[in-house]
Amino acid sequence: MVRGIQSTSGRSGIGSKEDQVQVQKEANKTYNCENLGLREIPDTLPNTTEFLEFGFNFLPTIQNITFSRLINLIFLDLTRCQINWVHEDTFQNHHQLNTIVLTGNPLIFMAETSLTGPKLLKHLFLTQTGISNLEFIPVHNLENLESLHLGSNHISSINLPENFPTQNLKVLDFQNNAIHYISSKDINGLEQATNLSLNFNGNDIKGIEPGAFNSKIFQSLKFGGSLNLSVILKGLQNSTIQSLWLGTFEDTDDQDLTSATFEGLCDMAVESINLQKHHFDGFSPSTFRCFTRLQELDLTAAHLKGLPSGIEGMNSLKKLVLNANSFDQLCQINAASFPSLTDLYVKGNMKKLDLGARCLEKLENLQKLDLSHSDIEASDCCNLQLKNLPHLQYLNLSYNEPLGLEDQAFKECPRLELLDLAFTHLLVKAAQSPFQNLHLLRVLNLSHCLLDTSNRHLLEGLLDLRHLNVQGNHFQDGSISKTNLLQTVSSLEILILSSCDLLSIDQQAFHGLGKMSHLDLSHNSLTGDSMDALSPLKGLYLNLAANNIRIIPPHLLPALSQQSTINFSHNPLDCTCSNIHFITWYKENLHKLEGSEETVCANPPSLRGVKLSDVKLSCGLTGMGIFFLVVFVFLVIILLIFSVKFLLRWKYQHI
């Protein structure tokens, strides 16, 4: 059997074969045949297939007849198909093929011409294929190759074959191999590649030939998990690297980092360095002596309790990541040492973080600040804590402890465009809106903040707010009234009201929100009568999933007809004649309905679980019904005649 999945081009099936299930993602273009125990390409697969995921089947040998019918292939994934042999001209007719994934196949042989045919082969995945020597890779037809993935093999040398084309290579992945030494010859073989990203993660590099990287330019170099970073940095002298990843992993027993470790960095041009999960010994201003040209520094989970004061020369640093460390107070990062910062991340602090006062006031250029998941608690937030941040555009204070918001709580950062306070209990102390000066704010996340939604002034001043999320907050009596906090944000385009325990919505609750294009009311307890509130809205993406909608009255159907996409899934829908008008409308508007597979009947019991689109009701009069109706009418007429006769006789008798 073949199961089609809804796509932009509709649903279709392509037949059946031995009860195998084939998932179609886009009609006649993309197919998923993974893990079906197949030993060949099914005849039911269309010739027009362009993207094929065929992993976890059984194809020990592939040759030129294996995929010969599928000449339009662009992407082919053969992960873990137990392939041992790839024969000559296997892909000779696949001129459009640009990605081949052979991950996890125990390759024994690849013919020299096995990859010929594709005119623009760009991505080749040979991860976990047992390769120990790069001579194994056929070089024919790799002139356009952009990425070569060779991770988790047994490669000990990165010396490519002499005629290996590298002029278009952008990504070369050697992670988790057995490479311990890099020679000048190895790197010279890559000199035709420009802006190359090299991945040596999981290889314990013990030595680099002096001068091997001299005058070389790289987009990215990754040496994660290397035990001795000083060897790496000395070996990279006189190179230019945009991003250098030197982080370590939980199971790596590497050396503590000292000032001497980074001496080689003074003779390199590096824009970004990642040192995550390392330990520092003798952390002092001298540790940063060779960091002065850095633009980005990532010290995630580096077991830091503070950054030393007196760090000098870090005027070029734009981005500093200090996630998952152990600061007691924000001032311990000594932000004044990094006056040019535009992005600062102190996310997931391992201790309760005190925001302190004026800790960031020297960061006048700061644009993005993430302090989420750090157990921050403040009774009067946030002007003193965020003093002098006039250019801040993004602020994340989500997943923290209760915050008391004072009047104009964000007066010090008037240019905020995104403010995330999700899952942080907000205690609004002032009668006026704490956000009233944020005229440029476009996105506000107040989900699960235990808001006082009866405060109609809460959102005043947000003149340009486009996206508002109040998911998980509760409204008085489970109802959004005619006058509510939404009336002051007429520029809204996206409104999330899911999981708010809503029972009803006033007919005029959304009055003035005519610009809205996305409304999420899912996971509430709304009934069909609440649809009246949608009358002023048009062209909505409307999510009504998981509510208590049983019957939608006919007079509300015009309000639904003017929306663009609607989701009614997971509602206890009534599939009786009482709801025939909605069921008829539903079938006529399938093109604008989402989640139709989960939009099923709850009543009557005989139709429970049946998709609404498959329901067939006969709500007219049956033959038996017509018979009883005729008998009833006949009896009524006889009764009327006898009544008239009786009245006339009575009248004449009393003249």
Side-chain angles (χ1 to χ4, degrees):
M1 122 184 167
V2 177
R3 181 176 61 202
I5 291 182
Q6 186 100 23
S7 70
T8 54
S9 51
R11 296 170 54 87
S12 69
I14 58 170
S16 61
K17 182 174 181 178
E18 299 175 356
D19 294 326
Q20 296 163 354
V21 178
Q22 186 170 286
V23 180
Q24 176 186 351
K25 292 184 177 178
E26 184 179 347
N28 303 322
K29 299 291 184 181
T30 302
Y31 289 86
N32 186 332
C33 301
E34 290 184 337
N35 201 25
L36 301 177
L38 299 174
R39 294 175 175 267
E40 59 182 12
I41 301 301
D43 294 335
T44 51
L45 202 65
N47 295 343
T48 53
T49 300
E50 294 181 359
F51 297 84
L52 177 58
E53 297 174 28
F54 202 78
F56 302 93
N57 287 298
F58 185 68
L59 290 175
T61 298
I62 57 174
Q63 48 196 320
N64 58 8
I65 61 171
T66 307
F67 309 102
S68 59
R69 193 169 49 80
L70 307 178
I71 61 173
N72 294 316
L73 279 178
I74 295 175
F75 174 94
L76 178 61
D77 186 348
L78 299 172
T79 297
R80 302 194 188 284
C81 284
Q82 303 181 51
I83 299 170
N84 299 132
W85 299 79
V86 185
H87 287 279
E88 293 85 354
D89 305 322
T90 295
F91 305 107
Q92 64 176 346
N93 296 319
H94 301 86
H95 304 309
Q96 301 179 64
L97 191 60
N98 72 12
T99 301
I100 301 175
V101 182
L102 293 170
T103 297
N105 288 288
L107 296 178
I108 296 174
F109 172 75
M110 290 186 75
E112 195 64 32
T113 60
S114 60
L115 299 177
T116 58
K119 295 181 179 179
L120 291 172
L121 185 60
K122 293 183 178 181
H123 310 288
L124 180 59
F125 291 78
L126 294 171
T127 306
Q128 271 189 338
T129 51
I131 295 175
S132 58
N133 192 318
L134 297 182
E135 296 283 349
F136 179 85
I137 304 170
V139 300
H140 287 282
N141 198 38
L142 297 183
E143 291 79 11
N144 296 297
L145 199 65
E146 294 181 3
S147 69
L148 178 58
H149 300 264
L150 296 164
S152 300
N153 283 298
H154 310 292
I155 299 168
S156 57
S157 170
I158 68 167
N159 187 22
L160 291 169
E162 188 173 334
N163 56 343
F164 195 98
T166 61
Q167 63 271 21
N168 290 307
L169 205 58
K170 302 297 180 187
V171 176
L172 187 51
D173 185 351
F174 287 110
Q175 66 178 313
N176 298 321
N177 274 281
I179 301 165
H180 302 303
Y181 186 79
I182 300 174
S183 68
S184 296
K185 184 180 179 182
D186 294 338
I187 301 303
N188 289 337
L190 301 171
E191 60 185 359
Q192 289 186 337
T194 57
N195 294 320
L196 181 64
S197 293
L198 262 175
N199 188 349
F200 292 109
N201 281 349
N203 292 278
D204 183 17
I205 306 296
K206 301 183 186 312
I208 298 177
E209 184 178 346
F213 286 85
N214 190 36
S215 300
K216 301 297 190 296
I217 300 174
F218 291 91
Q219 175 71 23
S220 167
L221 286 180
K222 294 183 178 182
F223 290 94
S226 294
L227 300 183
N228 193 337
L229 289 192
S230 59
V231 169
I232 303 297
L233 293 173
K234 287 178 182 178
L236 297 178
Q237 287 183 345
N238 298 317
S239 61
T240 300
I241 305 162
Q242 183 166 328
S243 176
L244 180 59
W245 206 93
L246 299 173
T248 189
F249 309 108
E250 295 287 354
D251 57 350
T252 303
D253 187 20
D254 59 332
Q255 300 176 2
D256 288 356
L257 306 184
T258 65
S259 298
T261 303
F262 298 105
E263 287 182 359
L265 192 59
C266 289
D267 300 317
M268 301 163 53
V270 182
E271 288 189 14
S272 171
I273 283 187
N274 185 308
L275 294 167
Q276 74 169 34
K277 295 185 182 294
H278 279 290
H279 287 79
F280 287 82
D281 182 24
F283 207 38
S284 67
S286 62
T287 306
F288 294 84
R289 184 175 63 87
C290 296
F291 286 50
T292 53
R293 286 185 285 182
L294 283 182
Q295 295 186 30
E296 297 183 10
L297 175 60
D298 191 334
L299 293 169
T300 294
H303 315 281
L304 302 177
K305 296 182 178 179
L307 296 183
S309 58
I311 298 173
E312 297 179 351
M314 297 290 288
N315 296 333
S316 297
L317 196 69
K318 304 292 185 185
K319 180 178 178 179
L320 178 60
V321 182
L322 297 169
N323 297 336
N325 283 292
S326 300
F327 305 113
D328 289 314
Q329 192 187 65
L330 193 56
C331 288
Q332 290 174 332
I333 72 171
N334 286 299
S337 301
F338 316 103
S340 301
L341 276 188
T342 59
D343 296 51
L344 175 61
Y345 299 81
V346 191
K347 177 180 178 181
N349 197 61
M350 305 304 288
K351 292 184 176 181
K352 190 180 186 71
L353 182 64
D354 182 358
L355 289 179
R358 301 173 181 267
C359 296
L360 306 177
E361 66 177 343
K362 299 298 183 182
L363 303 182
E364 295 184 8
N365 299 308
L366 196 65
Q367 297 177 16
K368 190 170 186 176
L369 176 61
D370 190 341
L371 297 169
S372 61
H373 296 268
S374 294
D375 290 331
I376 294 169
E377 185 174 2
S379 57
D380 291 304
C381 192
C382 295
N383 286 321
L384 191 59
Q385 295 89 339
L386 303 179
K387 192 74 175 175
N388 196 32
L389 298 179
H391 295 98
L392 194 66
Q393 297 175 6
Y394 173 101
L395 175 60
N396 192 343
L397 286 166
S398 64
Y399 293 89
N400 282 302
E401 296 300 311
L403 293 179
L405 298 184
E406 55 192 3
D407 186 30
Q408 295 192 50
F410 303 95
K411 187 177 180 179
E412 292 293 324
C413 32
R415 296 189 184 180
L416 274 181
E417 295 182 10
L418 187 150
L419 176 58
D420 191 345
L421 294 163
F423 289 89
T424 298
H425 184 189
L426 300 181
L427 304 170
V428 180
K429 298 185 174 183
Q432 301 299 317
S433 168
F435 315 113
Q436 59 185 305
N437 67 303
L438 301 180
H439 305 311
L440 301 178
L441 196 70
R442 298 170 67 90
V443 179
L444 178 59
N445 190 347
L446 297 174
S447 60
H448 300 277
C449 288
L450 300 178
L451 292 175
D452 177 11
T453 55
S454 63
N455 182 358
R456 289 181 289 161
H457 305 290
L458 184 65
L459 303 175
E460 282 182 350
L462 300 176
L463 305 179
D464 200 30
L465 191 66
R466 309 293 177 86
H467 185 138
L468 174 63
N469 188 343
V470 289
Q471 174 184 353
N473 291 287
H474 302 296
F475 289 77
Q476 189 172 4
D477 299 324
S479 176
I480 302 180
S481 60
K482 177 180 178 181
T483 53
N484 58 73
L485 75 170
L486 303 174
Q487 301 294 321
T488 60
V489 282
S490 58
S491 57
L492 268 189
E493 296 176 1
I494 299 174
L495 176 59
I496 313 297
L497 287 165
S498 58
S499 303
C500 291
D501 290 335
L502 291 173
L503 299 171
S504 64
I505 302 174
D506 186 88
Q507 187 173 352
Q508 298 186 47
F510 299 135
H511 182 71
L513 300 181
K515 295 181 180 179
M516 200 147 59
S517 60
H518 182 117
L519 177 59
D520 189 346
L521 292 166
S522 62
H523 297 277
N524 286 294
S525 298
L526 297 170
T527 63
D529 293 331
S530 298
M531 301 303 101
D532 259 336
L534 304 175
S535 296
L537 307 175
K538 296 181 180 180
L540 278 181
Y541 168 86
L542 177 62
N543 191 350
L544 292 166
N547 273 279
N548 195 31
I549 299 171
R550 298 178 183 276
I551 295 176
I552 295 182
H555 74 276
L556 297 180
L557 296 179
L560 297 178
S561 295
Q562 61 191 17
Q563 313 311 334
S564 63
T565 305
I566 309 177
N567 190 331
F568 283 109
S569 63
H570 303 289
N571 276 286
L573 294 167
D574 193 313
C575 293
T576 65
C577 290
S578 301
N579 208 19
I580 186 61
H581 295 287
F582 170 65
I583 295 172
T584 302
W585 176 90
Y586 185 93
K587 292 182 178 182
E588 293 173 350
N589 290 273
L590 286 174
H591 60 283
K592 62 170 60 181
L593 294 165
E594 183 182 72
S596 56
E597 293 291 325
E598 292 80 34
T599 306
V600 298
C601 302
N603 187 51
S606 60
L607 291 176
R608 186 171 296 151
V610 175
K611 289 192 296 183
L612 206 65
S613 55
D614 294 338
V615 171
K616 295 180 181 180
L617 294 179
S618 179
C619 294
L621 289 175
T622 62
M624 186 63 70
I626 294 173
F627 171 77
F628 281 112
L629 179 62
V630 170
V631 171
F632 176 76
V633 172
F634 179 72
L635 291 174
V636 169
I637 292 173
I638 291 175
L639 182 61
L640 284 173
I641 292 172
F642 277 101
S643 297
V644 171
K645 283 184 176 182
F646 174 79
L647 287 172
L648 289 174
R649 183 180 302 170
W650 183 86
K651 183 177 180 182
Y652 282 113
Q653 286 177 350
H654 291 82
I655 291 178

